[in-house]
Amino acid sequence: MLAGPILAPETYAFDAASPRRVELARTDLRDGFASWRLAWALARLDLRNRYRGSVIGPFWMTLSTALMIMGLGLLYSRLLGLSLTDYLPHLTVSLVVWNVIAAMVTDACIAMTYAEGVIRQLRVPFTVHALRSVFRNALTAAHSLPLILVIFALFGHLPGPEAPLAILGLALLLANAFFASILLGMICARFRDVGPIVANIMQLSFFLTPILWKPELLKELAVWLPLNPFYAVLETIRGPLVEGGGAPLVWLAAVIYTVVLGAVSIAFFARFRGRLAFWV
């Protein structure tokens, strides 16, 4: 007769009447953030595979952004009657940050389906896949951020003492990207039509958000701009670098949008986390 430890029956028991969804979601989030190095390694591997065989790799994004800045800057500064010295720093920060926002939102739609093989075969916290999406886009964005410094240096634009607030704005952007990766990643895994809808919304939002144009052009209607969540998040980064820090109302709106998105995404994650493996 073999002697050994006897496992308690509750080790294998599962009470369907009390599924402990919140506890399991909390455990997934805790273990996922504890495994951030795994998400970082997977994100770097994704970039390496995406640009395999390319000579300059992610710097293609930097080159295309630089060409867009010069082309649109020369055109819209004339159309809007603005000085190129004043307009180009605004456009540069706007385009670079918007490209990050658009890429993170679009990539959030495939955050879970992209990791379909891992989800079906390995017990890895789902939070790791959301972090992987955020890290992947953050690494890509890092290649375009030096464009801001180059344009500022060429046109003699020096941010004021409120410039460090852009770091807080960047933190809000990353938090929104993480929550979007959880929420949109799960929704798009269940309903595959949501991805193209989100892509169309982002195209429309590009023209409705003051990126190519300045908020002052709306005159008295500019007070309604904080209702646009993309503008609020964008302005928390652009404002400290270009426009003197950003209005307090914009910061308040950005924080509210982040809290609401976080609450909805975590609630959705807790409720439907157990079904994700069947959706991908």
Side-chain angles (χ1 to χ4, degrees):
M1 179 177 181
L2 298 176
I6 300 177
L7 298 177
E10 58 267 23
T11 303
Y12 302 99
F14 179 80
D15 187 359
S18 180
R20 301 181 297 119
R21 294 191 181 98
V22 175
E23 180 183 345
L24 292 174
R26 188 185 303 117
T27 301
D28 190 298
L29 289 168
R30 184 190 65 233
D31 294 344
F33 279 103
S35 305
W36 66 270
R37 291 180 181 84
L38 173 61
W40 178 260
L42 290 173
R44 293 178 60 189
L45 179 62
D46 291 338
L47 282 185
R48 208 174 291 126
N49 291 335
R50 179 182 299 178
Y51 295 102
R52 179 180 297 171
S54 174
V55 177
I56 63 176
F59 286 102
W60 277 113
M61 180 70 69
T62 308
L63 180 60
S64 63
T65 304
L67 293 176
M68 183 175 294
I69 289 171
M70 295 308 300
L72 294 177
L74 293 173
L75 174 63
Y76 278 86
S77 62
R78 295 297 299 272
L79 291 177
L80 301 177
L82 300 173
S83 167
L84 189 63
T85 303
D86 295 332
Y87 179 65
L88 209 57
H90 164 87
L91 179 65
T92 302
V93 178
S94 300
L95 276 180
V96 170
V97 177
W98 175 260
N99 286 341
V100 176
I101 294 175
M104 287 186 169
V105 172
T106 304
D107 200 63
C109 295
I110 61 171
M112 299 303 172
T113 53
Y114 191 82
E116 174 184 355
V118 178
I119 291 176
R120 290 185 176 182
Q121 297 180 40
L122 300 175
R123 293 194 62 180
V124 176
F126 297 138
T127 306
V128 168
H129 307 307
L131 289 174
R132 176 184 182 181
S133 175
V134 175
F135 289 155
R136 181 167 60 234
N137 288 281
L139 285 171
T140 303
H143 293 80
S144 297
L145 291 179
L147 285 175
I148 298 177
L149 300 178
V150 171
I151 296 298
F152 282 8
L154 289 177
F155 289 86
H157 177 79
L158 184 64
E162 64 279 351
L165 287 175
I167 299 176
L168 180 57
L170 184 60
L172 287 175
L173 172 59
L174 294 177
N176 280 280
F178 173 73
F179 294 138
S181 296
I182 290 181
L183 182 62
L184 290 178
M186 295 183 66
I187 292 178
C188 292
R190 177 63 182 87
F191 304 102
R192 304 301 171 97
D193 293 332
V194 174
I197 294 175
V198 171
N200 290 329
I201 291 175
M202 295 305 297
Q203 290 180 356
L204 177 62
S205 299
F206 175 78
F207 296 101
L208 296 180
T209 305
I211 298 170
L212 300 178
W213 47 277
K214 287 192 171 185
E216 305 86 68
L217 296 176
L218 287 181
K219 299 180 180 179
E220 65 276 1
L221 295 179
V223 296
W224 299 101
L225 278 176
L227 294 178
N228 181 347
F230 298 111
Y231 166 75
V233 176
L234 170 66
E235 190 66 13
T236 59
I237 302 175
R238 181 179 63 190
L241 296 178
V242 180
E243 298 170 2
L249 181 60
V250 173
W251 281 92
L252 177 61
V255 172
I256 291 176
Y257 291 139
T258 303
V259 172
V260 171
L261 178 59
V264 172
S265 63
I266 297 303
F268 192 88
F269 183 64
R271 178 63 180 84
F272 297 105
R273 174 187 170 279
R275 304 183 186 181
L276 181 56
F278 301 96
W279 289 350
V280 295

